[in-house]
């Protein structure tokens, strides 16, 4: 009994010095744990006593002396997690909520899911961890704790980054960064900047990567985060290494070591040494060997999976360049085995590529080809451009050495495609010119003010020296001067207004430029890739037909491929032209009443060959035949949506197009029972800035431009377009157009 009483007294002391128990959970997760555990340790001593403390709390549960027992369970589970007792932590945490979340408030559930996610992560249950992180972010979004939500989003991004799902990682990093912008924890802000830079580095967008690294290092130096500064300086060195500015890269690596020495950690040293080794791979192989072994020692000491993989890769490359193929193969086989065990797809792809190089050097062509193709498959899933470029180059050389002309040509075309995508440069911007004009206006205003001040001083000196003799004249001149001063001040005030207006205009133009440039970069990427590649295909097939060295079956296949390629290329070109006209406001919009049934019957007929090739049925359910819209624009929208439905429908599937009126609106629904799409794809479906292309069920290629174009043309009508979709159950696109009466009330045309 006395022991229970002492425990209660200790608990009361802890809660008092914690600022009341309802404030405990208002602290950020990690800070809350640290604060609470320090207080408990101070009053109760070692970890065994702390565990006994929580056990005593449970024993007196029925006394109703503790109204918020789940909060204590959450603390105990967190404490066990920090003590690396993962199974015990999971047992405690999983017993809190169960299947009844309605008993708890949003903040408690957000913190509980966050701690569960951390435990799942330690248990190597990645899917459950990501799910729990997402639930935590969802509940935090209902509270005022935006920074805690930002930390959770950053954790989700990092988990996607660990398995090379860079698109998803980048999306979550940007969401986290947006929430952190208005928070005073700039160290955390710098961490997310670095994470974004790392994703761009893996995409081979080195200028974008450097931009984010530089922003991050400025903050890290300001807050004196030595370990963070060492990491980011190394990342900057990596950019210079990849662009073959080797001496510059070594300078940054040396600087990063000076920061690492201030707060020594094994993984930081391993990271720096491995990248120094990568640079010496291009300069001095013996030095590379030394630094990769240093990296391996530090990474193994820090138990870093990623670091060990990097070191194995570096040692394998070093021995390959030394022409010691047996040792090189041994390191890359270790790397492949280790990466597959830890689900690191990007390192597995790299290992297969280098094992392919070794097989190629040993003239084991069949094995080399298999390894290159496996590496390409993994690289495409991760959009790893540099690895795709290198694989296709090596594959082209392999086919060339075996006199396989057609295969070699196709491989080298792919190599050139990825090479050009990596080396593309940014478009010229207007911002620098506008900034110069703004600075010039400031300088002019300062010159006018300075001229006035100089004139006034000269006048005062002259006036005081002749004040007695020229008193009357002085008074008159002073009057004129003051009048002139008012005029100048008024002129300066007007110029300041002009400057402020120009400043606001600059900010507006800057924002428009960012949006426009992002869209342009995406469009030019499409033109450079998706519009150019079909012409390579066309030239290749035409060359084969021209030579006449293929049999009848291959010739018919070539003709079918030519027909499909020209059709898809024409559709892409048509969408690009329509999108360009829409953006430059050259689209002629002329709505009128017309027969939608007749239009749909014509479209059905025009798609008959595509429907037949995939054994699809297209049914019409026309309840309203006459609608009010621009027929030519609506035809483009419907053509794109039907193309999309065919593309993502499985063989023997069904497409239904229905029309009806509802609340002064014409409704058009295009529904399929195809593959469907996930939530992230739906959210970004209609924007040019987030264009992405998925292959169809029969391998059809596209660009994603068509849906963005549909959105713009429906907006011109003053209508809306939305999508309902479920994975493996199909998609339903719904168009809502105002009838003539409603259109005339709301339209600005």
């Amino acid at each position: 009994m006395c022991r229970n009483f002492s425990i209660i007294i200790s608990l009361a002391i802890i809660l008092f010095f914690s600022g009341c128990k309802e404030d405990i959970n208002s602290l950020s997760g990690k800070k809350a744990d640290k604060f609470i555990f320090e207080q408990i340790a101070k009053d109760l001593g070692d970890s065994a006593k702390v565990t006994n403390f929580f056990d005593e709390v449970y024993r007196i549960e029925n006394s109703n002396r503790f109204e918020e027992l789940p909060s204590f369970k959450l603390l105990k589970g967190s404490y066990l997690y920090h003590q690396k007792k993962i199974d015990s932590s999971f047992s405690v945490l999983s017993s809190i909520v169960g299947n009844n979340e309605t008993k708890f408030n949003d903040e408690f559930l957000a913190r509980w899911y966050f701690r569960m996610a951390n435990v799942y992560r330690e248990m190597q249950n990645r899917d459950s961890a990501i799910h729990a992180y997402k639930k935590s972010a969802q509940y935090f979004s209902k509270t005022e704790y935006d920074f805690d939500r930002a930390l959770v989003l950053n954790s989700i991004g990092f988990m996607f980054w660990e398995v090379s799902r860079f698109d998803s990682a980048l999306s979550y990093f940007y969401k986290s960064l947006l929430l952190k912008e208005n928070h005073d924890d700039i160290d955390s802000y710098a961490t997310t900047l670095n994470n974004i830079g790392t994703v761009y580095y893996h995409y081979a967008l080195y200028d974008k990567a450097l931009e984010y690294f530089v922003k991050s290092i400025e903050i890290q130096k300001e807050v004196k985060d030595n370990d963070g500064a060492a990491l980011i300086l190394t990342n900057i060195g990596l950019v210079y290494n990849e662009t073959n500015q080797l001496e510059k890269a070594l300078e940054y690596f040396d600087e990063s070591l000076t920061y690492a020495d201030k707060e020594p950690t094994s993984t930081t040293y391993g990271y720096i040494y491995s990248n120094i080794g990568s640079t010496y791979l291009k300069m001095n192989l013996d030095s590379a060997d030394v630094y990769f072994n240093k990296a391996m020692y530090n990474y193994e000491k820090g138990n870093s999976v990623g670091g060990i993989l990097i070191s194995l890769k570096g040692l394998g490359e070093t021995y390959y360049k030394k022409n010691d193929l047996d040792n090189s193969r041994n390191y890359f086989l270790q790397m492949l085995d280790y990466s597959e065990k830890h689900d690191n797809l990007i390192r597995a792809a790299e290992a297969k590529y280098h094992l392919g190089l070794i097989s190629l050097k040993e003239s084991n062509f069949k094995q080399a080809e298999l390894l290159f193709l496996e590496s390409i498959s993994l690289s495409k899933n991760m959009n790893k451009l540099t690895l795709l470029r290198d694989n296709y180059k090596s594959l082209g050389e392999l086919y060339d050495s075996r006199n396989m002309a057609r295969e070699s040509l196709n491989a080298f075309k792919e190599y050139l495609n990825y090479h050009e995508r990596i080396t593309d440069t940014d478009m010229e911007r207007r911002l620098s010119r506008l900034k110069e004009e703004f600075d010039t206006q400031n300088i002019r205003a300062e010159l006018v003010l300075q001229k006035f001040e100089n004139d006034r001083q000269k006048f005062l000196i002259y006036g005081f020296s002749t004040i007695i003799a020229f008193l009357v004249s002085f008074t008159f001149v002073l009057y004129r001067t003051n009048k002139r001063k008012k005029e100048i001040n008024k002129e300066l005030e007007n110029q300041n207004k002009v400057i402020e207006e120009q400043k606001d205009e600059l900010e507006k133009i800057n924002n428009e430029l960012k949006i426009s440039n992002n869209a342009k970069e995406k469009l030019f990427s499409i033109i450079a890739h998706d519009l150019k590649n079909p012409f390579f295909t066309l030239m290749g097939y035409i060359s084969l037909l021209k030579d006449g060295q293929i049999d009848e079956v291959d010739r018919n296949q070539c003709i079918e491929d030519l027909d499909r390629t020209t059709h898809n290329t024409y559709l892409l070109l048509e969408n690009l032209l329509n999108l360009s006209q829409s953006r430059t406001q050259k689209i002629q919009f002329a709505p009128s009443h017309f027969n939608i049934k007749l239009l749909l019957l014509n479209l059905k007929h025009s798609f008959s060959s595509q429907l037949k090739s995939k054994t699809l049925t297209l049914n019409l359910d026309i309840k309203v035949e006459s609608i009010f819209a621009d027929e030519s624009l609506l035809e483009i929208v419907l053509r794109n949506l039907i193309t999309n439905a065919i593309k993502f429908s499985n063989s023997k599937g069904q497409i239904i197009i229905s029309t009806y009126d509802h609340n002064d609106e014409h409704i058009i629904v295009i529904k399929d029972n195809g593959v469907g799409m996930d939530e992230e794809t739906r959210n970004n479906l209609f924007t040019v800035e987030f264009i992405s292309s998925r292959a169809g069920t029969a391998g059809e290629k596209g660009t994603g431009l068509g849906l963005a174009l549909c959105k713009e043309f429906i907006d011109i009508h003053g209508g809306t377009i939305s999508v309902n979709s479920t994975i493996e159950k199909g998609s339903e696109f719904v168009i809502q157009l105002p009838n003539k009466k409603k259109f005339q009330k709301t339209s600005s045309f």
Side-chain angles (χ1 to χ4, degrees):
M1 184 68 183
C2 292
R3 185 181 179 189
N4 283 344
F5 180 77
S6 66
I7 293 294
I8 295 169
I9 294 298
S10 298
L11 177 61
I13 293 171
I14 293 167
L15 295 177
F16 177 79
F17 285 106
S18 300
C20 299
K21 64 184 177 183
E22 62 265 22
D23 291 335
I24 292 174
N25 283 333
S26 68
L27 298 169
S28 295
K30 191 172 181 180
K31 293 180 179 178
D33 292 344
K34 186 174 184 293
F35 183 73
I36 294 299
F37 298 144
E38 285 177 352
Q39 293 297 324
I40 293 174
K42 178 180 178 182
D43 289 303
L44 299 179
D46 61 30
S47 60
K49 290 183 178 180
V50 174
T51 303
N52 290 335
F53 162 75
F54 283 111
D55 291 339
E56 289 294 339
V57 172
Y58 296 151
R59 289 192 186 100
I60 59 176
E61 175 183 357
N62 295 330
S63 67
N64 295 320
R65 298 169 76 174
F66 296 96
E67 298 177 358
E68 294 184 11
L69 187 61
S71 296
F72 289 99
K73 285 186 176 182
L74 188 63
L75 287 175
K76 181 174 183 179
S78 302
Y79 175 77
L80 292 169
Y81 169 79
H82 284 288
Q83 293 294 312
K84 301 299 182 184
K85 299 177 180 179
I86 305 303
D87 291 338
S88 299
S89 175
F90 177 77
S91 177
V92 172
L93 291 173
S94 60
S95 70
I96 299 175
V97 174
N99 295 322
N100 191 3
E101 295 186 4
T102 57
K103 292 194 308 182
F104 304 92
N105 62 38
D106 294 330
E107 182 192 346
F108 184 88
L109 290 170
R111 300 195 186 285
W112 178 73
Y113 269 117
F114 180 73
R115 285 159 173 76
M116 286 296 295
N118 290 337
V119 171
Y120 280 129
R121 191 170 177 177
E122 289 293 328
M123 296 170 70
Q124 304 296 315
N125 189 339
R126 184 176 298 277
D127 292 339
S128 296
I130 291 176
H131 172 75
Y133 278 133
K134 287 183 177 180
K135 292 288 287 185
S136 176
Q138 176 186 336
Y139 279 112
F140 269 130
S141 69
K142 301 176 183 179
T143 72
E144 61 185 9
Y145 301 106
D146 286 339
F147 184 72
D148 296 77
R149 182 182 171 211
L151 297 177
V152 176
L153 292 170
N154 189 76
S155 296
I156 299 173
F158 190 79
M159 291 203 72
F160 282 123
W161 181 87
E162 284 182 316
V163 293
S164 307
R165 292 178 59 183
F166 297 126
D167 288 340
S168 298
L170 190 61
S171 174
Y172 280 102
F173 286 148
Y174 269 123
K175 291 175 183 177
S176 176
L177 191 70
L178 187 64
L179 291 172
K180 290 180 179 180
E181 282 181 348
N182 298 320
H183 198 273
D184 57 2
D185 192 340
I186 58 174
D187 190 13
S188 179
Y189 184 76
T191 298
T192 302
L193 285 171
N194 174 66
N195 292 345
I196 293 172
T198 304
V199 174
Y200 281 125
Y201 171 82
H202 281 286
Y203 279 151
L205 297 172
Y206 299 125
D207 54 341
K208 294 286 289 183
L210 192 59
E211 174 187 341
Y212 281 91
F213 288 150
V214 169
K215 289 179 183 177
S216 182
I217 190 60
E218 289 173 353
I219 296 174
Q220 297 288 23
K221 288 182 177 180
E222 179 184 341
V223 299
K224 294 181 170 51
D225 183 348
N226 296 316
D227 190 60
L231 172 68
I232 298 163
L233 285 166
T234 306
N235 289 343
I236 294 174
L238 270 173
V239 172
Y240 285 110
N241 180 39
E242 286 294 332
T243 54
N244 289 318
Q245 301 177 66
L246 305 183
E247 296 297 335
K248 192 76 173 175
L250 290 174
E251 288 178 16
Y252 277 100
F253 294 146
D254 288 340
E255 186 180 357
S256 69
L257 282 171
T258 63
Y259 281 92
D261 290 339
K262 296 175 183 178
E263 295 181 21
T265 59
S266 297
T267 52
T268 301
Y269 279 128
Y271 187 61
I272 299 170
Y273 287 141
S274 66
N275 288 300
I276 294 175
S278 295
T279 303
Y280 276 120
L281 265 176
K282 305 173 183 178
M283 302 169 67
N284 186 312
L285 295 179
D286 290 334
S287 296
D289 194 354
V290 170
Y291 279 105
F292 281 128
N293 276 295
K294 282 186 175 184
M296 179 67 80
Y297 170 79
N298 281 280
Y299 277 136
E300 288 179 339
K301 186 177 178 182
N303 195 29
S304 170
V305 173
I308 293 170
L309 285 169
I310 290 171
S311 302
L312 288 169
K313 177 188 173 186
L315 288 167
E317 289 179 331
T318 302
Y319 281 101
Y320 179 82
K321 289 194 173 186
K322 288 183 177 182
N323 208 32
D324 187 346
L325 300 185
D326 289 337
N327 271 322
S328 178
R329 180 186 292 105
N330 181 46
Y331 281 118
F332 283 122
L333 286 172
Q334 290 182 58
M335 178 184 174
L336 179 59
D337 180 63
Y338 207 64
S339 59
E340 288 177 343
K341 284 181 180 178
H342 293 275
D343 197 27
N344 193 319
L345 300 182
I346 192 169
R347 298 304 177 198
E350 289 173 342
K352 287 177 181 288
Y353 166 67
H354 285 93
L355 287 168
L357 289 178
I358 294 171
S359 296
L360 180 60
K361 204 164 189 177
E362 294 176 336
S363 299
N364 189 346
F365 299 119
K366 186 175 181 180
Q367 180 68 15
E369 180 185 18
L370 177 64
L371 288 164
F372 288 143
L373 292 174
E374 289 176 352
S375 179
I376 287 171
S377 177
L378 290 172
S379 301
K380 282 184 176 178
N381 291 334
M382 299 173 293
N383 198 27
K384 183 66 174 172
L385 301 183
T386 52
L387 196 52
L388 285 165
R389 175 198 64 193
D390 296 342
N391 268 294
Y392 276 116
K393 182 181 179 183
S394 298
L395 196 60
E397 292 170 350
L398 183 152
Y399 289 139
D400 184 56
S401 67
R402 299 177 67 188
N403 296 320
M404 299 169 67
R406 182 189 303 176
E407 290 82 357
S408 178
L409 176 62
N410 290 334
F412 278 120
K413 284 178 181 177
E414 291 294 335
Y415 159 72
L416 289 173
N417 166 47
Y418 287 108
H419 179 74
E420 289 174 7
R421 287 178 64 183
I422 293 168
T423 56
D424 279 347
T425 56
D426 290 336
M427 294 183 63
E428 186 177 356
R429 300 182 180 181
R430 291 186 297 156
L431 186 60
S432 59
R433 179 179 61 80
L434 293 173
K435 184 178 183 300
E436 288 173 2
E437 291 179 2
F438 175 72
D439 292 340
T440 301
Q441 290 292 337
N442 276 330
I443 293 170
R444 287 176 180 171
E446 291 173 2
L447 288 174
V448 171
L449 183 61
Q450 185 63 45
K451 184 178 183 300
F452 165 73
E453 289 296 330
N454 290 340
D455 290 343
R456 191 169 73 90
Q457 288 177 11
K458 288 178 182 179
F459 170 74
L460 290 174
I461 294 171
Y462 175 78
F464 279 113
S465 66
T466 59
I467 190 169
I468 296 174
F470 303 101
L471 183 58
V472 176
S473 300
F474 173 77
T475 304
F476 176 75
V477 174
L478 182 60
Y479 168 77
R480 293 292 301 272
T481 303
N482 286 333
K483 184 178 179 181
R484 178 60 179 159
K485 179 180 178 180
K486 289 179 181 179
E487 292 174 353
I488 293 175
N489 283 337
K490 187 174 181 180
E491 182 180 348
L492 287 171
E493 185 179 346
N494 291 334
Q495 288 189 354
N496 283 332
K497 287 182 180 178
V498 172
I499 290 170
E500 286 298 322
E501 291 173 356
Q502 288 179 337
K503 182 180 178 181
D504 293 339
E505 184 66 16
L506 274 172
E507 291 179 357
K508 181 180 178 181
I509 292 173
N510 190 20
N511 292 332
E512 291 175 353
L513 280 171
K514 287 180 181 177
I515 296 171
S516 176
N517 283 338
N518 287 337
K520 285 178 183 177
E521 287 174 3
K522 191 69 179 182
L523 287 173
F524 281 115
S525 174
I526 292 166
I527 293 170
H529 180 265
D530 293 309
L531 191 56
K532 181 176 66 177
N533 282 354
F535 283 99
F536 279 125
T537 303
L538 291 172
M539 289 187 291
Y541 281 130
I542 290 171
S543 178
L544 289 173
L545 291 170
K546 181 180 178 182
D547 292 340
Q549 296 180 358
I550 56 175
D551 56 28
E552 186 66 22
V553 174
D554 287 342
R555 183 182 298 107
N556 290 336
Q557 183 62 47
C558 281
I559 292 171
E560 289 181 11
D561 291 342
L562 280 169
D563 178 66
R564 183 172 57 256
T565 301
T566 51
H567 174 80
N568 292 337
T569 306
Y570 176 78
L571 181 61
L572 169 60
L573 183 58
E574 186 180 53
N575 281 337
L576 283 169
L577 292 174
N578 286 326
L579 186 62
S580 174
Q581 287 183 320
S582 174
R583 287 300 176 90
T584 55
Q585 299 181 348
K586 292 182 179 179
I587 289 290
Q588 298 297 318
F589 178 64
S592 63
H593 280 104
F594 68 95
N595 192 318
I596 185 69
K597 181 176 181 180
L598 182 60
L599 173 61
L600 289 171
L601 287 172
N602 288 336
L603 287 174
K604 180 178 179 180
H605 177 72
S606 68
F607 283 101
S608 58
S609 61
Q610 292 97 314
L611 293 167
K612 183 178 180 181
S613 66
K614 294 186 73 169
T615 62
L616 302 174
T617 59
L618 194 158
N619 296 323
L620 302 179
D621 180 17
I622 310 300
K623 292 184 174 61
V624 173
E625 294 187 7
S626 177
I627 70 169
F628 181 78
D630 187 303
E631 184 174 2
S632 61
L633 296 187
L634 188 60
E635 180 180 357
I636 293 171
V637 173
L638 293 172
R639 187 177 296 277
N640 273 287
L641 292 178
I642 295 171
T643 299
N644 206 55
I646 294 172
K647 178 179 177 182
F648 296 106
S649 290
N650 294 308
S651 178
K652 299 182 180 180
Q654 184 181 40
I655 301 168
I656 301 174
I657 303 177
S658 55
T659 67
Y660 59 93
D661 280 350
H662 179 70
N663 292 341
D664 295 333
E665 289 184 327
H666 304 306
I667 311 298
I668 305 172
V669 181
I670 297 89
K671 184 176 182 181
D672 64 73
N673 57 0
V675 297
M677 63 191 84
D678 58 23
E679 182 180 359
E680 185 174 354
T681 303
R682 291 198 306 272
N683 291 339
N684 296 322
L685 203 59
F686 298 107
T687 57
V688 175
E689 291 79 8
F690 291 92
I691 290 172
S692 63
S693 173
R694 298 185 299 159
T697 55
E700 302 99 322
K701 295 183 178 179
T703 63
L705 265 179
L707 293 176
L709 184 64
C710 291
K711 175 69 166 58
E712 293 204 10
F713 282 4
I714 295 302
D715 287 344
I716 290 174
H717 282 80
T720 62
I721 181 170
S722 59
V723 60
N724 302 309
S725 183
T726 305
I727 294 292
E728 301 302 333
K729 291 186 179 180
S731 302
E732 179 184 72
F733 287 84
V734 181
I735 299 171
Q736 296 174 265
L737 299 174
N739 63 17
K740 185 174 182 179
K741 181 178 178 181
K742 183 176 180 181
F743 180 86
Q744 290 173 339
K745 287 182 179 180
T746 60
S747 176
S748 60
F749 286 88

